[in-house]
Amino acid sequence: MKQIKKTFKFTCLALVVAASLTACNDGPSQQAPADKATSISAQTTLTSVDAQQFLDNVAKEMVKINLEGSRAAWIYANFITEDTAALAADADQKSTDAGVRYAMQAATFDNVEVNAIQRRQLNILKQSLVMPAPQDPEKSAELAQIGAQLGSIYSKGSYTTKAGEKLSLGDMTSTMANSRDYDELLEMWQGWREISPEMKPLYARQAELANEGAKGLGYKDLGAMWRSNYDMPADDFAKELDRLWGQVKPLYDDLHCYVRTELGETYGTDKVAQDKPIPAHLLGNMWAQSWGNIYDLVAPEDADPGYDVTKQLAAHNYDEIDMVRGAEKFFTSLGFDALPETFYSRSLFTKPADRDVTCHASAWDLDAKDDIRIKMCIQKTGEEFNVIHHELGHNFYQRAYKDQPVFFQNSANDGFHEAIGDTIALSVTPKYLKEIGLIDSIPDESKDIGLLMKQALDKIAFIPFGLMVDQWRWKVYSGEITPENYNTSWWELREKYQGVAAPIDRDADAFDPGAKYHVPGGVPYSRYFLAHIQQFEFHRALCEISGNTDPIHRCSIYNSKEAGAALNTMLEMGSSQPWQQAYKVVTGSEQMDASAILDYFAPLHVWLKNKNQGKQCGF
Ligand SMILES: [Zn+2]
């Protein structure tokens, strides 16, 4: 499912607000109000009264900052010109500057006795910076400069083919998805990675500077700071991710084994050795992070569900707005209020004929009240119908927590927002499609293997990638991985977790992590791992609340007021309490549990084990 993860700015803006003080927003155009907030001298003895005054001032500023920044970003994404780009970048910079000031000031209350709510708000301010700047203004400017340079190298990246054709990442992405020519895929894979060697020294310096900033805020290093964002000790968080991965790994291993066999049949076992990691360019994706694009190569026989949602949408004369209204009905069936009229008048649903826009689907919250929107160039396909449900999941979350203080207008942890969108999309099952009249009958269970395989290629395949990106960065920030080892360590982790390998020897100056947006973009990645775990647990729990008796991959919570009420209670909390409290509302437990994934994919897992019998699995 395509969501708002591609760029940091849109991720934050889509998820909005408290997150937006991190870096994705703007700042006030005047310094004056900010000075009020930051004028408290560190030399005075600070009290909780000072803390409250500081928080009140920041809250007032943030509301203004967020609104201004969201508007600038919205206009830019909807009317891409030099001018709107400059205005949006300007707003973004001001927001970052404000975020730096707030974090520094919040840290001065570290040893002041304050109440629990104040402490939570101060911590949110402190941890909102993804790349904290050192105190030294020169170093701070250098860090900002490096961040901009890395972003620019990535966004301008392109590759000129041996045939002389200049390709963008978008072009290459499409070839990676559709080509079945080993050498063409290899050229794309290798070509895209030519953009990143020049990033390496910049990246190393950025790590040094941001580590210094993190230490200034009282953290061991930047990785420890990132891991401190989850209402548990930083080291426990790392262990928790390993534990969850351990639960999923047996299923992943069987999926990997089966896919490797099928790829061996397609490309030859001389190219896809059956006892080694899979070459990373054959999985339908530039980073081998989700494999749905090679479904045709691995599709189980006789698993065609017998309907095609795209054709059904056409047969029922759905236009783009009908698709959105249909998805909205999913939420109203759960008991949520209908979307405000402004949602329909202000959203972008179709690609305009006369101007450039960012088509990547995203959900927006402009004013942290009712001005919620989506921005999509909707194609009338089954997949997009799914994406609309996902995006509206963000919007209903945003509206549910609008009455929280601005600091808490965010998801319970950074995995929740994506998880909620995906949770809703998991309910777009054949049963649901029949209930809304799009298909006439529910295919029998023998056809489920095809649908489950598609889901597994996207979601199960992603999980080890979602884990290893930050495993690598945490080690970079702790100093365990040094610049000389950046690339070899990256591939060691990719082999260890994903069982994929570089298809050719890498040059000594290669910096393959830099070819993945979130590394030069400085966007933490664990949130995507969490979202992939959490969504299945939310789905299982909500299905149970709804009284479902089907296997959970067949369940839809459509029409269940009980499930809707539980979901709403969790969403309304925003980030006001430790995420475990929000988790408990729906799942009954304060601890994540990946067994829901095993339940969901149980029929596929049996099928895979059967297919893998007698094979040498593992990598
Ligand atoms: Zn999303």
Side-chain angles (χ1 to χ4, degrees):
M1 228 148 305
K2 309 276 181 344
Q3 322 98 2
I4 40 184
K5 17 176 127 152
K6 280 267 164 73
T7 75
F8 184 39
K9 177 183 288 178
F10 296 135
T11 305
C12 293
L13 283 168
L15 308 189
V16 152
V17 195
S20 62
L21 74 139
T22 58
C24 45
N25 229 332
D26 58 322
S29 46
Q30 307 288 328
Q31 286 273 322
D35 290 340
K36 202 171 22 162
T38 54
S39 64
I40 300 162
S41 160
Q43 283 149 18
T44 16
T45 309
L46 296 170
T47 65
S48 70
V49 176
D50 297 317
Q52 195 54 53
Q53 193 192 354
F54 165 70
L55 289 167
D56 290 345
N57 288 338
V58 171
K60 260 185 238 151
E61 281 174 34
M62 272 175 60
V63 170
K64 185 168 178 282
I65 284 173
N66 289 342
L67 181 60
E68 286 178 2
S70 303
R71 283 185 174 146
W74 176 267
I75 293 168
Y76 169 55
N78 281 277
F79 305 86
I80 301 174
T81 69
E82 294 273 303
D83 299 319
T84 58
L87 291 170
D90 197 28
D92 201 39
Q93 187 55 49
K94 284 175 186 157
S95 166
T96 305
D97 293 347
V100 172
R101 283 200 311 275
Y102 297 156
M104 294 293 187
Q105 192 66 31
T108 64
F109 292 96
D110 275 357
N111 299 312
V112 177
E113 207 167 303
V114 296
N115 69 37
I117 297 175
Q118 291 170 329
R119 178 58 64 206
R120 188 163 180 82
Q121 297 184 341
L122 290 166
N123 280 343
I124 285 173
L125 285 177
K126 262 177 71 180
Q127 286 161 359
S128 62
L129 291 176
V130 177
M131 289 284 161
Q135 293 274 9
D136 176 345
E138 250 177 60
K139 287 181 177 170
S140 169
E142 188 187 357
L143 181 66
Q145 163 73 16
I146 290 175
Q149 256 178 297
L150 287 170
S152 164
I153 295 170
Y154 189 93
S155 64
K156 289 182 182 157
S158 67
Y159 167 67
T160 303
T161 64
K162 289 170 193 159
E165 194 187 353
K166 187 176 172 183
L167 301 177
S168 67
L169 177 59
D171 301 328
M172 285 185 267
T173 298
S174 165
T175 306
M176 294 301 288
N178 299 310
S179 171
R180 302 293 177 247
D181 176 330
Y182 187 96
D183 293 327
E184 183 182 32
L185 289 167
L186 183 58
E187 187 184 355
M188 295 297 120
W189 188 93
Q190 203 175 350
W192 175 242
R193 282 159 182 76
E194 287 177 9
I195 68 158
S196 46
E198 68 167 310
M199 292 178 188
K200 190 174 152 181
L202 293 168
Y203 190 80
R205 179 66 180 151
Q206 183 191 48
E208 254 173 46
L209 292 169
N211 262 340
E212 195 180 321
K215 283 176 188 152
L217 290 169
Y219 300 93
K220 195 168 65 180
D221 59 55
L222 182 59
M225 180 172 156
W226 286 6
R227 294 192 300 278
S228 300
N229 236 340
Y230 298 94
D231 301 305
M232 59 171 78
D235 291 343
D236 291 3
F237 179 67
K239 282 184 207 139
E240 187 62 358
L241 299 196
D242 281 337
R243 181 183 67 79
L244 293 164
W245 168 235
Q247 285 186 283
V248 181
K249 191 173 185 320
L251 173 59
Y252 179 78
D253 286 350
D254 275 314
L255 179 69
H256 179 280
C257 190
Y258 169 73
V259 166
R260 182 170 62 188
T261 311
E262 299 300 301
L263 290 175
E265 281 175 17
T266 303
Y267 295 103
T269 49
D270 57 324
K271 294 209 163 68
V272 185
Q274 294 297 297
D275 56 351
K276 293 210 169 74
I278 301 172
H281 64 310
L282 302 179
L283 290 155
N285 175 279
M286 186 57 92
W287 305 276
Q289 68 179 62
S290 55
W291 306 348
N293 291 324
I294 58 158
Y295 177 74
D296 58 311
L297 299 183
V298 304
E301 280 168 32
D302 302 324
D304 187 295
Y307 65 85
D308 177 338
V309 180
T310 302
K311 286 187 185 143
Q312 292 303 113
L313 287 167
H316 289 81
N317 292 318
Y318 270 64
D319 66 14
E320 294 85 350
I321 302 287
D322 295 330
M323 290 167 73
V324 178
R325 294 260 182 215
E328 179 189 13
K329 234 181 251 168
F330 184 97
F331 291 88
T332 52
S333 87
L334 299 180
F336 287 89
D337 289 340
L339 290 162
E341 187 278 328
T342 51
F343 170 86
Y344 284 98
S345 58
R346 295 175 187 174
S347 286
L348 180 83
F349 299 124
T350 53
K351 188 174 169 135
D354 59 348
R355 63 177 200 265
D356 285 336
V357 301
T358 307
C359 275
H360 194 79
S362 54
W364 297 60
D365 176 5
L366 275 280
D367 64 353
K369 293 193 185 80
D370 291 304
D371 192 351
I372 45 182
R373 313 175 188 176
I374 60 170
K375 189 179 57 53
M376 268 182 88
C377 304
I378 299 173
Q379 313 270 328
K380 289 181 273 185
T381 65
E383 192 184 338
E384 294 265 291
F385 191 47
N386 225 311
V387 173
I388 297 167
H389 284 76
H390 172 97
E391 296 304 334
L392 290 191
H394 289 305
N395 282 148
F396 280 93
Y397 203 163
Q398 290 158 343
R399 197 166 56 166
Y401 57 57
K402 69 174 180 173
D403 294 329
Q404 290 288 347
V406 65
F407 306 101
F408 298 148
Q409 287 170 355
N410 206 342
S411 59
N413 69 33
D414 60 6
F416 273 55
H417 238 300
E418 288 305 319
I420 294 303
D422 277 357
T423 299
I424 299 305
L426 287 177
S427 267
V428 182
T429 55
K431 180 182 170 192
Y432 165 65
L433 296 172
K434 178 167 182 284
E435 283 188 55
I436 63 170
L438 259 185
I439 61 175
D440 299 327
S441 60
I442 303 173
D444 72 71
E445 294 201 20
S446 69
K447 308 298 182 199
D448 291 358
I449 296 300
L451 295 171
L452 284 170
M453 177 65 83
K454 269 191 197 142
Q455 290 274 36
L457 290 171
D458 281 327
K459 303 207 169 184
I460 302 303
F462 176 82
I463 289 174
F465 184 77
L467 183 61
M468 65 75 51
V469 174
D470 280 353
Q471 295 275 353
W472 181 80
R473 279 193 289 202
W474 294 344
K475 288 180 180 186
V476 168
Y477 296 134
S478 75
E480 193 183 324
I481 295 176
T482 56
E484 307 76 66
N485 301 320
Y486 276 173
N487 215 48
T488 46
S489 301
W490 174 259
W491 284 106
E492 277 164 21
L493 289 167
R494 295 203 69 182
E495 290 190 23
K496 175 181 166 191
Y497 286 103
Q498 289 185 279
V500 305
I504 39 160
D505 285 342
R506 306 303 294 139
D507 293 339
D509 71 340
F511 180 55
D512 296 330
K516 172 66 193 167
Y517 168 78
H518 299 69
V519 174
V523 187
Y525 213 72
S526 301
R527 62 185 61 162
Y528 304 114
F529 174 86
L530 293 178
H532 278 70
I533 303 289
Q534 292 167 349
Q535 61 186 265
F536 289 99
E537 215 184 341
F538 290 149
H539 179 67
R540 179 173 69 180
L542 291 169
C543 284
E544 202 178 309
I545 293 169
S546 76
N548 165 68
T549 51
D550 290 328
I552 59 166
H553 68 277
R554 306 198 115 212
C555 157
S556 174
I557 59 169
Y558 180 63
N559 265 338
S560 169
K561 299 285 185 289
E562 295 77 13
L567 181 61
N568 188 50
T569 304
M570 179 172 84
L571 302 188
E572 277 179 348
M573 292 166 77
S575 61
S576 62
Q577 294 181 45
W579 66 263
Q580 292 88 341
Q581 299 306 314
Y583 212 65
K584 199 174 167 181
V585 168
V586 165
T587 68
S589 167
E590 293 181 19
Q591 200 181 35
M592 289 179 278
D593 176 7
S595 71
I597 294 180
L598 304 180
D599 285 356
Y600 187 94
F601 289 100
L604 179 71
H605 202 178
V606 170
W607 186 91
L608 286 168
K609 276 183 189 301
N610 202 15
K611 285 278 172 189
N612 290 338
Q613 258 178 17
K615 279 189 216 159
Q616 182 67 45
C617 291
F619 40 83

